[in-house]
């Protein structure tokens, strides 16, 4: 395939070399003549394991050409990979100067191109950039229509400096954000052979996945480092601890707990986080990331409160009260806190939870409810239909499918359902869903 690559830094140079190795005819473009000179001599512009030999080989093969002329590269290729830098501006925003300029140039160059062209943005771009900013620039400058005269997609890059050729050959997955089958078809021809899953999604989701992955990696490193500082303060070997933590592939190194839903609660996570913070304070260890967890959880609870208040309805039915489905444990349940806040705001509340019967609550569980919402007993109903009938808004806080099925028979068409735990993705109740995070 004829491929043009714009921006010959780490991402662009490695992509150029790997694509040429696979037999594609690649034209590299950069504004830096020094980089163009090096590549035309068969030398690598970036220090990366294996690049010296690979660049020499692919340039000698005749599959690589470089130019500073964007129009020439566009005309000589069917697909363009855009890999220019998107560094931080002084205020923390993304500096998109290079990608904006490049898009203007490419838009103008497209005026003279008779055949449809495919653009794959590979630079990391804040969500919304491709559809709201770059496609309009390409359309404006070319006088052509995206989806008819040319195609645009976003394909995040996951290679890491230091192991980029290996990462190119073994990516975690290929993700193409696009509105057109044509983009997926073209990119499958280029990347479909790689030993990983090929996912096609929306442009914005693809842009977001890249940020989410990088943020998650930063979070993991920080988690390990904060744990290590606390371990140091306690005289515990942090490597041994983290090694054992990683051995748990059920709850720790897995997709467990990585699904958006309602705030966490229960008798363990909040209290153990608080104890960790107290311990750190005693040992003079700062753990800002850990400190942020409970604060963030509270913001999530407030988000739910705002969703309920945002409906401007006064009669609210809480479906679920325990901290998770299948238990009657109310200790630090975010549903209890939600009830407390809504009562405080003067809303009229009714509660249904198939597992919670106040008369049978004992011990710490009973004490918790007596302290936090002592009058909640009068609000609990054992009849789901009665709660539904007397509520304008239902707040779904459990994912127990038996209850959800029972709801099917009594929810009124159009009744507002605030779905804290994504019940809506598994059912089709006649109500009007408002998700907690969508
Ligand atoms: N470096 C990584 O490991 C990595 C990994 C994944 C994603 N990314 C993302 O990929 C993008 C590129 O990263 P990088 O590290 O390769 O950047 P880089 O700074 O090493 O290279 C960018 C290149 O773009 C060139 N350039 C600027 N304007 C241009 C224009 N108008 N036309 C042609 N070339 C132009 C620059 O001269 C430079 O050579 C960034 O958005 C980055 O966030 C980087």
């Amino acid at each position: 395939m004829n491929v043009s690559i714009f921006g010959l830094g780490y991402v662009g140079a490695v992509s150029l070399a790997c694509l040429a190795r696979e037999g594609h005819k690649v034209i590299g473009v950069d504004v830096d003549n020094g980089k163009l000179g090096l590549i035309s001599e068969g030398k690598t512009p970036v220090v990366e394991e294996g690049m010296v030999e690979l660049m020499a080989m692919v340039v000698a093969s005749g599959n690589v050409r470089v130019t500073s002329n964007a129009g020439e590269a566009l005309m000589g290729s069917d697909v363009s990979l855009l890999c220019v830098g998107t560094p931080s501006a002084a205020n923390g925003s993304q500096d998109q100067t290079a990608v904006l300029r490049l898009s203007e140039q490419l838009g103008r160059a497209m005026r003279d191109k008779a055949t449809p062209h495919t653009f794959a943005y590979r630079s990391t771009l804040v969500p919304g950039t491709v559809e709201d900013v770059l496609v309009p620039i390409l359309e404006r400058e070319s006088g052509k229509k995206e989806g008819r005269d040319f195609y645009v997609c976003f394909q995040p890059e996951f290679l890491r400096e230091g192991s980029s050729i290996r990462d190119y050959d073994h990516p975690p997955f290929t993700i193409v954000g696009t509105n057109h089958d044509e983009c997926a078809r073209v990119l499958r021809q280029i990347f479909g052979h790689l030993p990983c899953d090929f996912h096609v999604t929306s442009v914005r989701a693809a842009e977001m996945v890249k940020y989410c992955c990088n943020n998650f990696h930063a979070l993991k490193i920080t988690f390990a480092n904060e744990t290590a500082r606390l371990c140091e303060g306690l005289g515990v070997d942090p490597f041994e601890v983290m090694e054992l933590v990683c051995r748990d592939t059920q709850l720790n190194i897995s997709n467990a707990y990585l699904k958006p839903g309602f705030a966490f609660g229960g008798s363990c996570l909040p209290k153990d986080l608080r104890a960790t913070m107290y311990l750190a304070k005693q040992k003079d260890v700062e753990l800002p990331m850990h400190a942020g967890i409970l604060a963030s959880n509270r913001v999530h609870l407030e988000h739910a409160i705002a969703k309920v208040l945002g409906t401007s309805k006064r009669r609210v039915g809480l479906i679920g009260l325990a901290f998770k489905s299948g238990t009657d444990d109310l200790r630090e349940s975010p549903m209890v806190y939600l009830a407390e806040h809504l009562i405080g705001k003067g809303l009229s509340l009714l509660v249904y939870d198939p597992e919670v019967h106040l008369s049978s609550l004992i011990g710490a569980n009973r004490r918790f409810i007596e302290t936090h919402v002592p009058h909640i007993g009068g609000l609990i109903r054992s009849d789901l239909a009665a709660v539904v009938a007397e509520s304008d808004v239902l707040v779904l806080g459990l994912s127990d499918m038996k209850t959800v099925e029972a709801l099917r028979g009594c929810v009124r068409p159009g009744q507002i359902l605030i779905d804290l735990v994504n019940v809506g993705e598994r059912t089709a109740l006649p109500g009007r869903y408002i998700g907690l995070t969508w």
Side-chain angles (χ1 to χ4, degrees), residues 210-226:
K210 177 62 192 169
Y211 276 93
C212 191
C213 289
N214 275 357
N215 295 341
F216 191 38
H217 300 165
L219 178 83
K220 287 172 79 171
I221 293 168
T222 305
F223 181 83
N225 287 343
E226 285 201 0

Side-chain angles (χ1 to χ4, degrees), residues 7 9-11 30-31 35 83-86 123-124 157 159 161 210:
Y10 285 89
V11 171
D30 206 291
V31 290
K35 287 188 181 178
C83 313
V84 296
T86 50
S123 303
T124 300
E157 174 57 65
L159 60 76
E161 286 175 31
K210 177 62 192 169

Side-chain angles (χ1 to χ4, degrees), residues 386-399:
V387 172
V388 174
E390 289 174 47
S391 303
D392 302 316
V393 181
L394 295 175
V395 181
L396 305 176
L398 51 68
S399 49

Side-chain angles (χ1 to χ4, degrees), residues 230 264-282 287 290-291 293-295 297-298 331-333 337 368 372:
L230 184 57
F264 65 79
S267 63
C268 294
L269 303 190
K271 92 171 164 57
D272 293 349
L273 263 166
R274 279 194 296 271
T276 302
M277 295 317 298
Y278 192 84
L279 189 61
K281 200 160 57 178
Q282 281 179 312
L287 303 179
H290 281 77
I293 297 175
L294 283 170
N297 203 43
R298 173 147 290 276
R331 286 173 294 171
E332 301 218 36
S333 165
Y337 290 130
F368 181 79
H372 280 82

Side-chain angles (χ1 to χ4, degrees), residues 331 357-371:
R331 286 173 294 171
H357 310 284
L358 211 61
S359 55
S360 56
L361 289 181
I362 51 168
N365 201 5
R366 187 173 189 95
R367 269 198 305 283
F368 181 79
I369 204 76
E370 282 171 356
T371 316

Side-chain angles (χ1 to χ4, degrees), residues 5-14 28-33 35 45-46 48 67-68 70 82-87 94-95 97-103 105-106 122-125 154 156-162 164 167 210-211 214:
I5 299 188
F6 294 84
L8 300 172
Y10 285 89
V11 171
V14 170
V29 185
D30 206 291
V31 290
D32 182 337
N33 284 323
K35 287 188 181 178
V46 294
E48 275 295 311
T67 176
S68 57
L82 285 69
C83 313
V84 296
T86 50
Q94 183 173 59
D95 179 352
T97 311
V99 76
L100 295 177
R101 268 205 204 125
L102 177 61
S103 301
Q105 268 182 306
L106 292 174
R122 310 289 324 263
S123 303
T124 300
L125 294 167
F154 180 77
E157 174 57 65
F158 295 106
L159 60 76
R160 295 165 298 173
E161 286 175 31
S164 53
D167 288 348
K210 177 62 192 169
Y211 276 93
N214 275 357

